[in-house]
Amino acid sequence: MKLLVGTGNKGKLLEITEKFGELPIELKSLKDFPEILQPEETGRTFAENAILKARWYSTQTGLWTLADDSGLEVEALGGLPGVISARYAGVGAKDEDNIRKLLDELKNERNRSARFVCSMAVSDEKGILRFLAEGVCDGIIAFKPRGKNGFGYDSVFIPKGFDKTFGELSSLVKQKISHRARALQKIISFFSDFIGNKT
Ligand code: IMP
């Protein structure tokens, strides 16, 4: 079977391709469909956005599609930045701008609890949702950025059980415990069962 991975992000695509490894599934990416239009991410939750993207790409291509949406939820901010993680400091904001705003909002705040959340949705070729998975990585927000690895909020996120930020930890550690890795594991199990049931 063929599966379109509905992301334009090279790093994510590589991670997903590696994890799909031995499954007899031919992965396609948005690069294989240069004409494809991007949907507007109007969902109020990560799950809504992941579903919206998976269904959008599958109805345009007629392929089974996997799509994801993720971001950071900070307890003291009532779950913000949440679905607006990429544009927390405004449309077109850079990672540094978003981090600066976050640390500003948390100035004098003792509750630093936060979590990364990733939703992944699988739609069939008719645009019908077949599976939805969520992965969570709990942690706390550091008082200032540390480390250069990763992207987004990695330099201020200290995962539970560690005393370093994702910016300081190696990508191997992140690939084991991240919200995306955890959601992806559930997706792999879904497809293993699905293919197993068909053969
Ligand atoms: P996306 O939906 O995966 O593209 O993520 C949206 C935004 O959430 C990103 O632009 C980042 O700001 C933030 N984000 C999501 N995942 C991560 C991560 O693993 N590390 C740091 N920031 C992340």
Side-chain angles (χ1 to χ4, degrees), residues 166-180:
F166 268 149
E168 297 171 302
L169 290 164
S170 81
S171 61
L172 284 178
V173 173
K174 188 176 174 195
Q175 272 173 33
K176 281 202 184 113
I177 64 167
S178 81
H179 47 314
R180 234 178 326 276

Side-chain angles (χ1 to χ4, degrees), residues 31-141:
K31 282 224 173 69
D32 297 309
F33 298 92
E35 311 282 279
I36 211 160
L37 301 168
Q38 310 268 336
E40 245 192 279
E41 298 185 21
T42 52
R44 284 159 306 159
T45 61
F46 300 117
E48 277 180 19
N49 276 335
I51 294 169
L52 171 158
K53 285 189 262 186
R55 297 188 61 208
W56 170 274
Y57 290 127
S58 65
T59 45
Q60 278 190 80
T61 59
L63 289 179
W64 277 64
T65 302
L66 168 66
D68 78 327
D69 195 45
S70 59
L72 179 70
E73 290 182 344
V74 178
E75 195 172 271
L77 302 178
L80 282 173
V83 288
I84 59 159
S85 290
R87 52 179 197 283
Y88 188 40
V91 176
K94 296 202 184 94
D95 288 344
E96 306 92 82
D97 305 327
N98 290 330
I99 287 173
R100 199 174 312 117
K101 171 158 179 170
L102 179 69
L103 293 180
D104 243 31
E105 299 281 344
L106 290 178
K107 209 165 41 187
N108 308 323
E109 177 59 63
R110 290 175 70 179
N111 176 8
R112 316 289 298 184
S113 296
R115 57 185 210 155
F116 276 125
V117 181
C118 173
S119 284
M120 286 191 175
V122 176
S123 161
D124 69 15
E125 77 282 9
K126 296 196 183 92
I128 296 169
L129 178 70
R130 292 298 197 106
F131 190 65
L132 182 64
E134 185 179 84
V136 171
C137 181
D138 289 309
I140 53 171
I141 301 299

